[in-house]
């Protein structure tokens, strides 16, 4: 059988039976083509839970091994002497993404080899310069949704293993970034707005950047709350941090040759050693000195505490500045920024965040033997209230998710949102809901692009479904609704539970790694019918309550369960700003 590793049809040999390496090869818009081809499709690498813990621990050890090795090489390359923590802050997020991505590809190709079904495949010309990323987000977006970039990586693995017969195929379409954006440029403001922003940045640099002890960056606060918090801390309530953008620079071969990966101990690490130096973003090598100097010049000079909920992952300028300040004794505080934390695990993101920070604020949960973790009221949730009268004749709002086309990191396995299975569960839900529910159901798609063509899949099969994809907030849509449905365990279901809005969630929890201490809370949610393990169960329940969901929602048993769960995983408080003020001042005194 001919092995296909991509949705790029120019790399399909259709005059013989095809073996698709994964569901990502079968783009929904191309169904009229691939459905007529004699083919088989390999299952996911992550269908067996018994393999999960072992693989997670192994990938964690690999990342640690390579990070420790890179500390020496990068310090030598840049003539510096930074700590492991410094380089973890700067390099860690990319390393986690990269190692997980290549490991998944290695497992896929090994499965194809071991099946003994493959007779041949085509791979593109392997030119590393074409695919060198400038920063973490560029790599992530290519890895998550770009067909040709992933075709290149699969080709590199196949070429390295030399166990599948292959031919190099020249094709003009391969030079294009098919099936996803290659980078995430910051939005360019209009000329007038750009000038105003520069002036505000300079004013902030000379005032709040000079005198404020606590610096907030992508805090997740509303502007009003951030100003109130500044004032309560005795700070100038004005802070616009600069945007230091990455730039694509030519490869410096001698600089890259100076980066020494650790000694390989197995076949996978041999592949990793071949790829990791060529894919190391230019922000960490060729552009490092320029970016670091710009960041240190532009960001505040004398903070005592740095707080962020998001910039630790993709903001390279922020990371370089924060890592430098941390080495000077400044305290770094991170906070939970979304759902999944505290009850799903283990999570690569949470693991990284706890390693780089001095303090970690959660939405209510604690972690055994981890003194850094402090439960606080969520600023994101506490500032949100639903004060509208209940809309008895309103819609039923269904909030859906968008998925990466390719495997990114092991976190995306534990969400249970695996490829096309997610849309099959949505279809199962729609097959059971009654006509009365269908008439008032509004499906909200995320505004960002879904490489799986989720909207088209559902609209083609359920043409009468009403759907929305726009800029209105979920809160504004809830004000016109009487019930909210969620089909994944992300952030939005915590938001609706925290504002005490009637909520039904269905999720395949057999595909989700639940922390043992969180299990009783989820069991309680099942008992009061908020949480359902199957889409059919959720649909049948909604059919029963859709006329008057509030009668179910206001029962004392349900409200007790909801409050208990929210106190642990979606905590709110009327005094949340004062709570935060006290904890931030404690950290200022420690610095």
């Amino acid at each position: 059988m001919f092995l296909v590793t991509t949705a790029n049809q120019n790399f399909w040999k259709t005059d013989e039976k095809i073996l698709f390496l994964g569901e990502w090869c079968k783009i929904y818009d191309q169904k009229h083509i691939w459905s007529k081809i004699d083919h088989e499709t390999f299952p996911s690498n992550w269908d067996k839970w018994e393999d999960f813990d072992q693989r997670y621990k192994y990938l964690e050890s690999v990342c640690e091994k390579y990070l420790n090795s890179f500390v020496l090489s990068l310090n030598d390359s840049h003539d510096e002497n930074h700590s492991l923590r410094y380089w973890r802050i700067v390099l860690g997020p990319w390393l986690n993404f990269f190692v997980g991505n290549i490991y998944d590809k290695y497992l896929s190709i090994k499965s194809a080899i071991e099946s003994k079904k493959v007779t041949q495949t085509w791979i593109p010309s392997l030119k590393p310069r074409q695919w060198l990323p400038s920063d973490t987000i560029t790599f992530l977006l290519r890895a998550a949704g770009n067909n040709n970039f992933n075709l290149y990586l699969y080709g590199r693995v196949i070429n390295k293993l030399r166990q599948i017969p292959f031919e190099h195929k020249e094709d003009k379409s391969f030079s294009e970034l098919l099936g996803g954006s290659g980078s995430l440029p910051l939005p360019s403001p209009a000329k007038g707005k750009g000038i105003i922003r520069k002036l505000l940045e300079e004013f902030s640099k000379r005032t709040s950047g000079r005198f404020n002890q606590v610096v907030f960056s992508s805090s997740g606060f509303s502007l009003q709350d951030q100003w109130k918090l500044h004032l309560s801390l005795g700070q100038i309530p004005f802070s616009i941090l600069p945007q230091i953008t990455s730039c694509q620079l030519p490869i410096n071969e001698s600089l890259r040759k100076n980066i020494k990966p650790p000694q390989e101990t197995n076949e996978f690490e041999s592949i990793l050693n071949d790829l990791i130096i060529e894919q190391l973003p230019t922000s960490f090598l060729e552009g490092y000195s320029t970016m670091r100097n710009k960041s240190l010049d532009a960001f505040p000079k004398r903070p005592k505490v740095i707080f962020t909920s998001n910039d630790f992952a993709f903001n390279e300028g922020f990371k370089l500045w924060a890592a430098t300040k941390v080495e000077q004794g400044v305290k770094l505080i991170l906070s939970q920024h979304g759902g999944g934390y505290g009850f799903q695990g283990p999570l690569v993101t949470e693991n990284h965040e706890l390693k780089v920070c001095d303090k970690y604020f959660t939405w209510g949960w604690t972690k055994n033997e981890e003194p850094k973790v402090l439960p606080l009221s969520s600023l994101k949730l506490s500032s949100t209230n639903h004060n509208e009268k209940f809309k008895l004749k309103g819609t039923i709002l269904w909030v859906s998710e968008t998925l990466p086309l390719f495997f990114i990191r092991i976190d995306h396995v534990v969400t249970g949102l695996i490829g096309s299975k997610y849309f099959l569960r949505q279809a199962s839900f729609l097959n059971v809901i009654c006509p009365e529910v269908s008439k008032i159901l509004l499906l909200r798609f995320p505004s960002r692009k879904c490489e799986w063509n989720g909207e088209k899949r559902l609209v083609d099969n359920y043409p009468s479904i009403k759907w929305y994809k726009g800029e209105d907030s979920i809160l504004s849509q809830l004000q016109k609704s009487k019930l909210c449905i969620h089909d994944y365990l992300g952030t939005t279901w915590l938001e609706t539970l925290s504002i005490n809005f009637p909520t039904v969630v269905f999720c395949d929890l057999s595909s989700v790694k639940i922390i043992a201490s969180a299990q009783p809370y989820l069991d309680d949610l099942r008992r009061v019918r908020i949480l359902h393990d199957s889409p059919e169960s959720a649909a049948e329940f909604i059919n029963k309550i859709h006329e008057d969901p509030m009668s179910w929602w206001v029962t004392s048993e349900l409200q007790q369960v909801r409050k208990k769960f929210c106190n642990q995983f979606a905590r709110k408080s009327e005094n949340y700003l004062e709570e935060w003020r006290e904890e931030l001042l404690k950290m200022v005194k420690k610095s």
Side-chain angles (χ1 to χ4, degrees):
M1 297 172 66
F2 183 85
L3 179 65
V4 167
T5 64
T6 179
N8 185 341
Q9 293 179 37
N10 293 335
F11 288 83
W12 297 9
K13 194 173 186 290
T14 56
D15 58 354
E16 61 181 272
K17 188 172 182 178
I18 279 178
L19 184 63
F20 287 117
L21 192 59
E23 291 290 338
W24 66 85
C25 300
K26 302 186 296 185
I27 298 295
Y28 183 76
D29 286 347
Q30 299 174 352
K31 186 176 181 180
H32 63 288
I33 298 173
W34 55 256
S35 63
K36 298 175 182 178
I37 297 173
D38 187 13
H39 72 271
E40 294 181 16
T41 307
F42 263 105
S44 166
N45 294 316
W46 306 92
D47 284 344
K48 297 179 180 179
W49 271 116
E50 58 266 27
D51 297 333
F52 178 84
D53 287 335
Q54 181 181 357
R55 289 176 176 178
Y56 181 92
K57 291 176 182 177
Y58 171 65
L59 291 181
E60 183 180 25
S61 70
V62 170
C63 287
E64 287 299 305
K65 176 180 177 179
Y66 278 74
L67 183 62
N68 277 279
S69 176
F70 283 166
V71 168
L72 299 174
S73 293
L74 289 170
N75 278 336
D76 182 62
S77 295
H78 300 306
D79 193 24
E80 295 179 342
N81 187 29
H82 294 301
S83 64
L84 174 64
R85 187 183 180 191
Y86 175 96
W87 288 113
R88 188 187 301 279
I89 292 171
V90 173
L91 194 68
W94 172 82
L95 189 61
N96 287 327
F97 285 122
F98 185 80
V99 170
N101 183 278
I102 301 304
Y103 186 66
D104 177 71
K105 287 176 169 53
Y106 169 73
L107 292 178
S108 294
I109 299 301
K110 288 294 288 185
S111 295
I113 293 169
E114 292 166 2
S115 74
K116 297 183 179 180
K117 294 180 178 181
V118 179
T119 56
Q120 186 189 23
T121 192
W122 290 337
I123 66 175
S125 57
L126 304 175
K127 300 176 182 178
R129 291 175 182 269
Q130 181 178 350
W131 304 108
L132 177 63
S134 59
D135 50 27
T136 304
I137 192 63
T138 302
F139 170 80
L140 175 61
L141 291 177
R142 290 178 180 177
N146 185 271
N147 281 293
N148 279 343
F149 178 62
N150 283 276
L151 170 60
Y152 166 75
L153 292 178
Y154 280 116
R156 292 285 275 112
V157 175
I158 291 169
N159 183 66
K160 175 69 175 178
L161 290 175
R162 295 282 175 171
Q163 297 179 52
I164 293 178
F166 65 86
E167 292 181 10
H168 287 282
K169 182 177 175 61
E170 297 293 333
D171 189 84
K172 291 182 179 179
S173 69
F174 178 66
S175 64
E176 303 169 9
L177 289 169
L178 296 183
S181 173
S183 61
L184 185 66
L186 292 170
S188 299
K191 185 175 181 180
K193 291 183 178 179
I195 294 172
I196 293 173
R197 180 179 177 87
K198 286 292 184 183
L199 291 173
L200 292 176
E201 284 182 6
E202 186 63 26
F203 178 77
S204 177
K205 178 179 176 182
R206 294 177 180 276
T207 54
S208 57
R210 179 175 297 181
F211 302 112
N212 287 358
Q213 294 181 313
V214 182
V215 174
F216 300 96
S217 181
S218 293
S219 62
F221 309 146
S222 67
L223 181 61
Q224 182 180 17
D225 279 347
Q226 186 158 317
W227 276 50
K228 287 180 179 178
L229 199 51
H230 271 300
L231 289 170
S232 69
L233 291 168
Q235 300 191 162
I236 300 173
F238 195 92
S239 182
I240 296 183
L241 295 184
Q243 296 175 348
I244 310 298
T245 56
S246 305
C247 57
Q248 187 67 53
L249 296 173
I251 293 176
N252 185 324
E253 295 288 359
S254 62
L255 196 61
R256 290 188 174 261
K257 287 179 180 178
N258 193 49
I259 305 300
K260 305 298 182 185
Q263 182 66 41
E264 62 200 49
T265 58
N266 55 38
E267 191 175 62
F268 165 64
E269 291 176 20
S270 177
I271 293 170
L272 195 60
N273 283 356
D274 276 4
L275 281 168
I276 200 164
I277 305 303
E278 78 166 47
Q279 282 292 309
L280 192 65
T282 56
S283 293
F284 308 138
L285 274 178
E286 290 85 354
Y288 169 83
S289 295
T290 300
M291 280 201 66
R292 183 169 183 267
N293 291 338
K294 285 183 177 179
S295 298
L296 295 182
D297 178 65
F299 278 85
K301 300 294 188 294
R302 292 186 290 274
K304 289 190 174 181
V305 172
I306 297 170
F307 173 81
T308 185
S309 63
N310 284 305
D311 278 343
F312 65 86
F314 304 121
N315 189 332
E316 308 296 3
F318 170 85
K319 288 190 291 181
L320 288 166
W321 167 72
T324 301
K325 293 302 174 184
V326 162
E327 286 197 323
Q328 297 171 359
V330 175
K331 301 301 181 183
L332 177 62
I333 303 177
L334 303 182
S335 75
Q336 179 179 344
H337 54 278
Y341 290 80
F343 59 87
Q344 294 184 41
L347 300 176
V348 173
T349 48
E350 180 186 323
N351 185 31
H352 169 75
E353 290 164 46
L354 288 174
K355 284 180 178 178
V356 300
C357 74
D358 293 287
K359 205 72 175 178
Y360 191 84
F361 296 160
T362 76
W363 291 0
W365 52 272
T366 57
K367 195 176 184 74
N368 290 338
E369 299 180 358
E370 182 49 79
K372 292 182 181 180
V373 170
L374 179 69
L376 282 182
S377 299
S378 165
L379 284 167
K380 179 180 178 65
L381 301 179
S382 294
S383 60
T384 304
N385 291 296
H386 183 69
N387 298 318
E388 292 291 309
K389 292 183 178 179
F390 185 65
K391 301 290 185 181
L392 188 60
K393 296 182 179 181
T395 63
I396 294 177
L397 181 65
W398 178 7
V399 181
S400 69
E401 175 63 304
T402 185
L403 311 174
L405 188 61
F406 296 93
F407 179 94
I408 299 176
R409 62 172 183 254
I410 207 166
D411 284 5
H412 291 270
V413 177
V414 298
T415 61
L417 308 180
I418 304 174
S420 58
K421 292 182 180 180
Y422 177 65
F423 304 106
L424 293 176
R425 291 176 60 78
Q426 290 185 323
S428 297
F429 176 81
L430 288 169
N431 288 337
V432 176
I433 61 169
C434 64
E436 291 77 16
V437 171
S438 183
K439 289 178 183 178
I440 58 175
L441 187 66
L442 177 64
L443 177 55
R444 177 187 171 99
F445 289 112
S447 57
R448 59 189 182 278
K449 184 178 180 181
C450 176
E451 304 294 349
W452 287 97
N453 299 113
E455 303 98 313
K456 188 169 175 55
R457 286 172 186 264
L458 290 178
V459 172
D460 281 355
N461 293 286
Y462 304 91
S464 63
I465 192 171
K466 294 183 286 292
W467 58 281
Y468 174 82
K469 186 176 183 179
E471 300 301 323
D472 285 351
S473 68
I474 290 179
L475 184 62
S476 67
Q477 290 188 309
L478 289 177
Q479 293 169 357
K480 305 171 186 176
S481 307
K482 60 180 178 180
L483 179 68
C484 190
I485 304 166
H486 308 266
D487 57 24
Y488 67 103
L489 298 181
T491 304
T492 54
W493 75 300
L494 300 180
E495 293 179 295
T496 55
L497 285 174
S498 72
I499 62 173
N500 200 17
F501 192 92
T503 299
V504 170
V505 186
F506 65 89
C507 179
D508 181 11
L509 291 181
S510 66
S511 304
V512 178
K513 196 75 172 179
I514 299 297
I515 297 172
S517 60
Q519 194 64 60
Y521 295 91
L522 298 182
D523 290 341
D524 285 345
L525 292 181
R526 283 193 188 92
R527 180 166 47 82
V528 296
R529 309 305 301 277
I530 291 175
L531 179 62
H532 297 256
D533 292 313
S534 73
E536 294 87 355
S537 170
E540 290 169 358
F541 180 68
I542 291 168
N543 288 343
K544 294 178 182 178
I545 67 161
H546 74 273
E547 290 185 350
D548 185 17
M550 187 58 79
S551 295
W552 156 69
W553 191 253
V554 297
T555 58
S556 59
E557 182 185 16
L558 184 149
Q559 284 298 312
Q560 288 175 6
V561 167
R562 183 195 69 82
K563 290 176 182 178
K564 180 182 177 183
F565 177 84
C566 287
N567 187 61
Q568 185 73 5
F569 301 108
R571 187 175 299 180
K572 295 177 66 170
S573 169
E574 294 181 358
N575 299 317
Y576 62 98
L577 287 177
E578 181 59 29
E579 291 178 22
W580 277 71
R581 174 185 174 276
E582 290 180 5
E583 295 303 328
L584 289 171
L585 286 176
K586 289 179 184 177
M587 295 302 293
V588 169
K589 292 177 181 178
K590 291 180 180 179
S591 62

